[in-house]
Amino acid sequence: MSDERIWTAGLAVIGDEILSGRTQDKNVAQIAAWLNIQGIRLAEVRIVPDVTAAIVEAVDALRARNDYLFTTGGIGPTHDDITVDAIAEALGVGVVHHPKALATLERYYATRGGLTETRARMARVPDGAELIENRLSGAPGIRIGNVFIMAGVPHITAGMLDSLTGTLEGGRPVVSRAIGCWVAESEVAEMLGAVEKAHEGVQIGSYPFFREGKTGANFVVRSPDAALVDETIADLAGQLEALGRAVIIDGI
């Protein structure tokens, strides 16, 4: 299991509105969940301002050390939507109007006031890019190399992800199971490390909490190998019970 190929993705969430707190990001969770189904792990996330140099730096770093890079935000029609230009700069290519994107937008806006110069900005792509279908608002997403440029609006991003389903190479989806226990994390930290070490190929996450005047923790075991997850859960539960602790399946 330790030699199994692990596919990873980075995510750059682009937008001053995220950093200011005016908008709460919802894309990280839905992209992470979608990637897991594709057998790809979301390895890292950056939140980047609407600044060309910052976007270029993030794109260069994240695409170099991951199999895929996804970006969200900054591909609308306004002057501060600079993601396309910044990514083109990072890739060393120009920006062009994609003819298929223009045709799609023309159809979409035919009964909505027509395709203006401002709206046509949403057909701009890095030279050599392909389109990601957007059935909701006409403006497509963009794919170039291992970079996927998505909308910032979560329900539109979801539609773009749906269009990509089954098109990316990945490994086995990660399986996860949880157990909960009314125990202080510090009391079982050493045991958790030993259990993880004994079951190569799993990761154990510990998530402490304080409720009802008591300290507890949920323990989540993850691996692409479902049988290994079950084996590790059984071992962990057995060791907790040996300490006199009641175990709650699926967590507290």
Side-chain angles (χ1 to χ4, degrees):
M1 286 302 301
S2 59
D3 295 329
E4 184 171 345
R5 170 81 154 88
I6 297 175
W7 297 78
T8 66
L11 171 61
V13 179
I14 300 169
D16 291 340
E17 70 279 5
I18 302 294
L19 288 166
S20 71
R22 288 193 302 271
T23 300
Q24 292 186 343
D25 177 78
K26 296 180 180 178
N27 280 320
V28 172
Q30 75 165 343
I31 290 173
W34 180 86
L35 284 169
N36 185 55
I37 294 171
Q38 313 308 307
I40 302 163
R41 299 186 190 181
L42 182 59
E44 53 187 319
V45 178
R46 287 198 193 185
I47 301 178
V48 186
D50 293 311
V51 176
T52 296
I55 298 171
V56 169
E57 194 277 329
V59 168
D60 282 340
L62 294 176
R63 74 186 181 94
R65 59 176 174 255
N66 292 288
D67 298 293
Y68 305 106
L69 168 62
F70 287 76
T71 73
T72 60
I75 60 172
T78 60
H79 70 283
D80 59 343
D81 288 312
I82 61 172
T83 297
V84 168
D85 299 87
I87 291 177
E89 182 176 325
L91 300 178
V93 300
V95 175
V96 299
H97 283 86
H98 196 291
K100 185 178 177 180
L102 279 174
T104 299
L105 289 168
E106 284 176 352
R107 288 194 299 272
Y108 181 81
Y109 284 110
T111 59
R112 297 173 172 86
L115 181 62
T116 64
E117 182 178 346
T118 297
R119 289 169 170 172
R121 280 179 54 83
M122 292 184 288
R124 299 169 73 251
V125 302
D127 197 4
E130 304 171 19
L131 302 181
I132 302 170
E133 186 179 4
N134 169 15
R135 301 183 184 93
L136 294 177
S137 66
I142 303 162
R143 174 178 184 171
I144 180 165
N146 70 336
V147 181
F148 298 80
I149 307 169
M150 318 286 282
V153 179
H155 72 275
I156 296 178
T157 302
M160 292 179 178
L161 291 173
D162 185 57
S163 297
L164 287 173
T165 295
T167 66
L168 275 64
E169 187 172 4
R172 289 190 289 171
V174 174
V175 176
S176 67
R177 286 190 60 195
I179 57 175
C181 190
W182 292 104
V183 64
E185 184 182 45
S186 59
E187 292 182 33
V188 295
E190 191 171 319
M191 183 195 72
L192 292 173
V195 171
E196 183 176 88
K197 187 175 181 180
H199 299 274
E200 186 177 357
V202 302
Q203 293 178 320
I204 301 177
S206 178
Y207 305 97
F209 57 83
F210 184 78
R211 297 179 201 159
E212 303 171 17
K214 299 184 291 183
T215 298
N218 287 311
F219 309 110
V220 180
V221 178
R222 301 181 180 90
S223 172
D225 187 330
L228 186 57
V229 169
D230 290 343
E231 177 187 306
T232 306
I233 284 284
D235 186 6
L236 183 57
Q239 294 204 37
L240 288 166
E241 288 170 346
L243 295 174
R245 302 289 183 171
V247 171
I248 294 87
I249 301 301
D250 297 326
I252 299 171

